[in-house]
Amino acid sequence: MRSFTRASSCERPTVALALRGYLAVAPVLPTIAVSFLVLDAYHQLHGTCPHLSIQAFCQALCGIHKVLYRRSFAEQFAVAYDVYLDILHEVDIRVNSALHRDTANWRMLNACAPCLYRLDKEEPLPYDFFASMDGNNSLKLVDDSFRSGQSRRDDRTHRTDLFIAPDEVDKYKDEVANSQKVCDGDNDVHGNVDQDALDIVVEEPCNSKSVCAERWRNAGPEARKKMFSLFAATDIFVSVCRHGHVLAVCDMIRSGELMKYPLTIVAKLVEVYGPDARIKIGYDIGCKFIKTLKNSSLGPSTDGVISCVVPAFHGHSHNRGCQLQWHPMYTNGVGDEDFETCERFFSFSNGAVAGTQMSTAFHRHQGIEGVVGFWDIQKYAATGKFIYNNYRGALQTIASGTRELDIYARDLKTTPADYEQYLKDERAYLRALKVEPPEDKVAIERYKNLDYLIIQQGITGKEIAAIRREYSHAQTRVQGAQQKAARFEELLDLDVRWLPSSTEYKSALEEITLRKYRRAVDNLERLVVQRLFELKKLGMNGYKQRKKIGQALKTRAQAIQTALSVYNREADTLTPPRPQLSWTDVMNMVSLGEFDLLRDARQDIRTQLWTQPSRCDATNTYFKVKRSREEIQRLNVEICRQFSWMIDEHIDHVKAIEEVRESCPTLARELEVRLRYRNTINGDVVRWLVKTSRLAGFSGRLVYGQRLGRDPGRMLGVALPTWAIQVVDDSVPGSQCNGLRGPTEHGDHHSDNDDDNDNDNGSAGVDGEDMEDGDGIPGMGGAGISGRFISFVDGLSDSMDRM
């Protein structure tokens, strides 16, 4: 126990404690205070590991100090921590104001530098940026009416623009019903959406069941998306960019994943990024959502702005037609992006469940905002590594895929045009597939409802008459015979009895055989897809190799083995027999969504070129290489955006420090601390960017670019950070690394793991703060840095002239 003495009688106890590094728990006469260092330690620990609760942390502190834990300790620490977060929030407000980051939508407009920091004269991209959106089911909030005791009123709301208000969400609550009316009317949609894509997905009436609606609860009718009244908030619906930065969040209130939530997210994206943006959004039911969007009130404003794609792993449970149109591998302009970023965020945010379910609405929002804040910092720090790994992976895919395509071209005599045509042919074939013809379905049902023995045993008309006479003395038996005769005559409208040799009989029997076969295919696919998602919940998710998934399925799913046997048996009864399937075939088909190809037994497609396994493999390889080339194109733009953002951010911090140093020294000091930490992170990011520029095959340039609308004069008189000077030094003629001038000829000098463990601090605080100005540029910190800065600016001019 420690005690403190006030400097004067006028000094309040809370102020005296704060000046000595402690935060009082009570506002007037505190007897307990918590160290700011301890509060900061928990803040960082909880941000890194959201599972860590206040109770666990307080118990650990008691263990360290050899004190018996009491529940009141956790309650008092929670009060202090709540005040501490209020203090941090107020500091953030003042820092953002000093940095001029307090304008409307600044956070969303600058959430991710590689995605949003557009530069002058940069290479145009098919899409401005990629985003993903999805809902989770973990971060629930239990309603107050189901809790013991009396809840205390708390009118506070979320403190940032991260959350979209429920009133904004409810604007779109009737859009599905309105969309249904449009669908029932003319079945038309707004805009220039690819009609072929809609034909593949929306080939049945609006009120019928689709494969996606059956497999995805959020694609089904709105009436099915109920939630227990126990929860006031069932979870969150989020949108994130491809680098993981959270763009917008809305609460799912007492419901499942209603369509109003993705519609709200789309409306927010269009509002913030404008009608000229081109955004590709990954959504697990994007194939269905796009139709609702285009038939909604948002349709005209999203035309040409929003387009959808189905995330790579979620494509497992979409039919082949969906995948050919909506899977990233077959979508032009998306590169190697898998659009599964939401799932990665949820795996992190789920750790906050224990601390939010029984909290107030405000504290739940506060906890989620804290999780998002730390998540964004992690994603920012990993930006350089993200670019490096994606660049290296794309180069490897291009190298290996090009070799494979050369072999395919030699053996199969194929060209890139052939692979594009194979995709078009398969899409056309699946569009031509219809549901079971109505006349076939009626005939089969009628046939199955007949007295099968009459046909199977060949009973003649005389025998039927004899049976009728025999039953004439028993009313019940007469009624039974009359019912059989009525079915026979009315349902099939037959004048002549079917015999096993009759054409009609053979046709009906063939249709029954085909129907059993198709049902065997449906059952097999359903069981395999269900097991895939069960394994995902157990940690064996879709990011694992397909071989491991196959091994687990084979050892754990007896039902799938039985279904496979049934399929092979039914396939053998067809004319001609369909090929038998092995475990390997099933794994490939469920991953590629090729079960639809098996269902069609009305025509033999095995003679089509696009169905041949070798050509299928060649086609997939071709599109992988094509996507990797697109990924390289986007990464070449992103690497310049990230580097330019870091330079400009450093300049903004230095300018802000100069502006507030006299009026508010404490704020200037806070900005210096934040800049120092930011430079530490940026130093590591630059290290990965430099490693990327050293890759053999690197085709971009690590250069500074001018952001659209930014004043180029802001950088004058600002000293460069150490990590930027290192890159500038590399650009000097004769240097080992041509980091600012593009492709390097020294890629062999560094292995892939080079410098991974180096202590490259990359930070220098506020550069020049310990140096005196000499003969160089005033404010630059000396002649040496001034000279480097002049060389840097000259290099920028040369680089921009070449762009």
Side-chain angles (χ1 to χ4, degrees), residues 397-680:
T397 299
I398 293 172
S400 60
T402 302
R403 291 193 297 268
E404 294 176 12
L405 289 175
D406 290 341
I407 297 174
Y408 285 127
R410 183 192 63 197
D411 297 343
L412 303 177
K413 304 297 187 289
T414 53
T415 64
D418 294 327
Y419 304 133
E420 297 284 355
Q421 188 61 44
Y422 293 159
L423 180 63
K424 294 178 181 178
D425 291 344
E426 188 174 357
R427 285 173 173 172
Y429 166 77
L430 290 175
R431 280 197 301 271
L433 285 180
K434 302 297 182 181
V435 295
E436 189 175 34
E439 60 273 15
D440 291 351
K441 185 175 181 179
V442 173
I444 290 172
E445 293 299 327
R446 290 174 177 175
Y447 178 80
K448 290 176 64 179
N449 291 330
L450 292 175
D451 187 350
Y452 185 75
L453 293 177
I454 293 179
I455 297 176
Q456 185 67 24
Q457 296 180 0
I459 299 177
T460 63
K462 294 181 179 180
E463 291 172 327
I464 294 176
I467 293 174
R468 288 176 175 173
R469 289 192 299 270
E470 180 181 356
Y471 281 86
S472 62
H473 301 289
Q475 185 65 31
T476 56
R477 298 174 66 184
V478 170
Q479 291 176 351
Q482 289 176 344
Q483 291 173 0
K484 293 179 181 179
R487 286 202 305 268
F488 194 90
E489 295 171 355
E490 296 176 6
L491 295 179
L492 292 182
D493 193 22
L494 295 178
D495 296 330
V496 181
R497 175 178 56 86
W498 282 2
L499 296 175
S501 59
S502 301
T503 302
E504 296 85 351
Y505 174 84
K506 293 180 179 179
S507 177
L509 186 61
E510 181 181 358
E511 286 300 323
I512 288 179
T513 303
L514 292 177
R515 199 178 202 191
K516 290 181 179 179
Y517 167 78
R518 296 188 190 106
R519 288 183 174 180
V521 173
D522 291 340
N523 187 46
L524 177 60
E525 183 187 15
R526 176 182 61 83
L527 291 172
V528 174
V529 171
Q530 286 178 349
R531 183 62 65 181
L532 280 173
F533 283 96
E534 290 172 3
L535 292 176
K536 180 186 176 185
K537 293 178 182 178
L538 296 174
M540 195 71 176
N541 57 32
Y543 306 111
K544 299 293 183 180
Q545 296 179 357
R546 191 165 62 245
K547 180 179 179 181
K548 294 182 179 179
I549 294 179
Q551 292 174 347
L553 287 172
K554 188 173 183 180
T555 57
R556 298 185 56 201
Q558 183 62 38
I560 297 179
Q561 296 179 11
T562 303
L564 180 59
S565 300
V566 172
Y567 164 81
N568 287 330
R569 182 177 68 247
E570 297 297 338
D572 193 53
T573 63
L574 299 181
T575 303
R578 304 294 286 190
Q580 301 287 298
L581 293 182
S582 64
W583 273 101
T584 302
D585 298 330
V586 171
M587 289 303 98
N588 289 332
M589 286 181 174
V590 76
S591 298
L592 300 177
E594 294 176 348
F595 278 92
D596 285 353
L597 303 183
L598 300 175
R599 290 194 181 91
D600 181 42
R602 296 186 177 89
Q603 54 179 305
D604 189 0
I605 61 173
R606 289 174 293 178
T607 58
Q608 299 291 330
L609 293 178
W610 56 267
T611 65
Q612 298 176 9
S614 59
R615 296 180 187 271
C616 289
D617 293 340
T619 302
N620 289 335
T621 301
Y622 165 77
F623 281 105
K624 289 179 181 178
V625 172
K626 186 177 181 180
R627 298 289 85 84
S628 293
R629 295 188 188 280
E630 295 170 352
E631 181 73 11
I632 293 294
Q633 179 189 15
R634 179 166 291 274
L635 290 173
N636 285 339
V637 173
E638 289 185 350
I639 193 172
C640 294
R641 288 180 176 179
Q642 180 63 35
F643 184 69
S644 302
W645 158 267
M646 293 188 298
I647 292 287
D648 290 343
E649 183 187 42
H650 175 83
I651 293 171
D652 291 342
H653 273 78
V654 174
K655 291 288 187 180
I657 292 170
E658 294 175 353
E659 291 173 359
V660 303
R661 188 180 298 278
E662 296 296 331
S663 60
C664 188
T666 54
L667 180 58
R669 178 58 183 168
E670 175 66 20
L671 287 167
E672 290 175 355
V673 171
R674 295 195 179 202
L675 177 57
R676 186 175 292 110
Y677 177 54
R678 201 65 165 182
N679 277 332
T680 300

